[in-house]
Amino acid sequence: MPASRSTPFRAPADPRGAPGVHRIPVPLGMSSVDGGPLASVRRRTREVTLETIYLRCEECGALDNLRRAAGLLPGDPVADFQGEFFADSDVHKWLEAACWHLAEEPDDPALRARIDATVELLAAAQQPDGYLNSFFMGERAAERWQNITDRHEMYCGGHLLQAAVAHLRATGERTLTDVAIRFADHVWTVFGPGRRPGADGHPGYETALVELSRATGERRFLEQARWFVEQHGRTPAAIGGREYHLDHAPLTEQPEVTGHAVRALYLYTGAADVVAEEPDAGLMAALERLWRNFADRKRYVTGGAGARHDYEAFGAEWELGDERAYAESCASVAHFQFAWRMFLLTGRGEFRDAMEQVLWNGLLSGLGDNGEDFFYVNPLADNGRHRRSPWFGTACCPPNLARLVGSLPAYTYATSGDTLWTLLLTEGTVRTELAGGTLELRISTRYPLDGEVVVEVLRAPEEPCGVALPIPDWADGASWSLDGADLPFEEADGFALLHRRWQAGDKLTGGYRMPVRPLAAHPRVRAAHGRIALTRGPLVFCLEQADHEAADVRDIAVTADGPWTADPRPDLLGGTVTLRGTGWAPPAEAADGPLYRPAGEPWPEARPVDVTAVPYYLWANREPGPMQVWLPLADGVETASSR
């Protein structure tokens, strides 16, 4: 890797100069999200969610734990410890999220003061040998590094390192970076060749080490990251040899995604970062194989990951239950990050599509529209009792969602040579340096509520350059015109590549047709057998009871061919689009029928009902009631017209 990345780069990953990457992200400050649904989510996160999470860290004692560790608060660090043993990580994730927002709004004195105070607290809590974890203080100090399988010391340390990198990139100051370096150096005195074997029981430390290496120019942290990735599956087992911990086989030999979904996706993400810096054909082949298994056998239509409540695990192939889906919000964040890195490594549009799928469905669903409530679990069906919560005993998801949303503009574009690649279509601007000079664009769109896009060139290089716009796998065609004249383009692995000599004032218009697209699952997905999911563009839709007074949504059947009408609703849930059509449902009294009846005995005759479907990511923001993503097909439903 290069000796250093000398110029500031405000992004969660800085792969500039890495030999294994094909695309480089455009950082915060060079791209913006100014309008549309994503801008609303980011504004709410900045104005409400950041404050909410900080106050909850105060209320649950996570900040006081660190104050006692630093000697700034009286009390016993063991007897008075509050929360889970990984509570520090929630503070670290909040700090990372806050730093990404500060990177965009450096003149916010209140945010800066809170960040400075938190950095000062972490520096004070660090022990003379570099160790930093408020749980293992006082009488528990003797337990440090004794249970790396389950006690999350490296996981907490990984989020400390990632917060430090974000702080450095947002402020240019090294205070927290120096804390992170001392921590990583301490870890390496305990583990490593010739010392103790060990792997991170909850991966995340590997990615953090790679980014610390990139931020500091210190290659030793990259070497440590590779070593920790390669420790999984060694003989004798470093952390117990269980699939749950991804320790049952070396990563290069693992045939399928398995075990704890978040841990697995974080491990793959860290391995992708290692491959970016040190290309490795065997490790890259493993990542491709694991991705295929995940995408083709174990991924929810919402992009969610993890079918089982037991062990928060993936489960078996095609095991994608709906009401009992786990699909943890953290797993959606990890899916997004893994897909992004695979795109940077390959430039393939399928990874961009995956980012979009999970963002617009299984990830944003974790955030309530009040900015104060969150989902830990994201099921695809509900009986009316699953609601977002203000906080959790295990509170990993809220700050994880916040740090992803805070850094979202850095995931929106990427470059290679003389081409700018658009990953997430959203209202905003982008400015970047290409091989021939500066390209600056303004994008106007209501995507994903509709498919119309306008790209205005504000500044362009003297030489021809490329503007690459997505051709999603769901798109029913894409077309582009320049100042009213059709503009041909080259299809480049999921993108429309428009390469020409651009001029300031050029206006590119076009976009995507967005018909309603019913999806059926593989026949082995039992929960979806005989059912369809309604999609339009990247959005997955669901039925909520709030829109259906005439029938229980669990009883409503639909036809695959609709017809369905997209209905813009600026008055609903902050402004969205719904799908309207007709379904069939039995009379209400049918619910009181027998639990079992002889086969062939007719069910009460179904009647037509008006159906309204809303985007899945917006569900559970109104009065409680049942919800369904997978809808039974009306084929075979007993109706008057079918007799």
Side-chain angles (χ1 to χ4, degrees), residues 127 150 165 300 638:
Q127 303 303 293
D150 303 310
V165 169
Y300 281 98
E638 188 71 19

Side-chain angles (χ1 to χ4, degrees), residues 34-252:
D34 300 338
L38 282 186
S40 296
V41 171
R42 297 195 74 242
R43 182 168 54 253
R44 186 168 60 241
T45 301
R46 170 67 188 87
E47 295 174 356
V48 179
T49 306
L50 269 186
E51 178 73 8
T52 296
I53 292 172
Y54 185 86
L55 293 178
R56 304 269 161 79
C57 285
E58 283 282 22
E59 293 164 4
C60 75
L63 285 160
D64 278 351
N65 293 337
L66 287 161
R67 292 181 182 118
R68 276 187 289 272
L72 302 174
L73 188 69
D76 184 276
V78 174
D80 295 325
F81 186 90
Q82 300 177 71
E84 298 288 347
F85 49 83
F86 45 80
D88 286 7
S89 65
D90 298 329
V91 177
H92 302 330
K93 283 182 276 189
W94 172 87
L95 180 56
E96 182 186 348
C99 287
W100 294 132
H101 283 286
L102 184 69
E104 288 191 296
E105 302 178 52
D107 297 327
D108 186 332
L111 182 61
R112 181 60 193 263
R114 183 164 282 175
I115 287 171
D116 289 348
T118 307
V119 169
E120 183 179 343
L121 173 60
L122 293 173
Q126 187 166 41
Q127 303 303 293
D129 64 355
Y131 187 85
L132 177 51
N133 188 308
S134 68
F135 183 79
F136 294 95
M137 297 294 294
E139 294 180 359
R140 276 199 290 258
E143 300 175 26
R144 294 173 184 170
W145 307 122
Q146 297 307 301
N147 183 359
I148 59 172
T149 303
D150 303 310
R151 284 300 183 91
H152 290 21
E153 286 170 274
M154 283 189 221
Y155 170 80
C156 290
H159 283 297
L160 170 67
L161 268 57
Q162 289 178 312
V165 169
H167 183 256
L168 176 65
R169 290 175 178 165
T171 68
E173 298 174 2
R174 286 187 56 95
T175 304
L176 194 57
T177 306
D178 291 340
V179 170
I181 290 171
R182 287 194 294 272
F183 178 86
D185 285 343
H186 164 77
V187 173
W188 203 236
T189 66
V190 179
F191 302 97
R195 296 179 294 282
R196 282 178 54 183
D200 187 355
H202 191 309
Y205 191 56
E206 306 82 357
T207 287
L209 281 170
V210 173
E211 219 51 50
L212 185 63
S213 181
R214 290 167 168 171
T216 62
E218 296 289 345
R219 187 176 182 86
R220 69 183 188 275
F221 301 125
L222 172 62
E223 294 169 350
Q224 292 171 25
R226 174 176 281 279
W227 188 84
F228 279 116
V229 168
E230 292 176 345
Q231 282 288 293
H232 283 267
R234 294 298 178 191
T235 303
I239 51 173
R242 294 177 61 199
E243 284 191 22
Y244 175 79
H245 296 105
L246 295 310
D247 196 41
H248 56 295
L251 187 57
T252 52

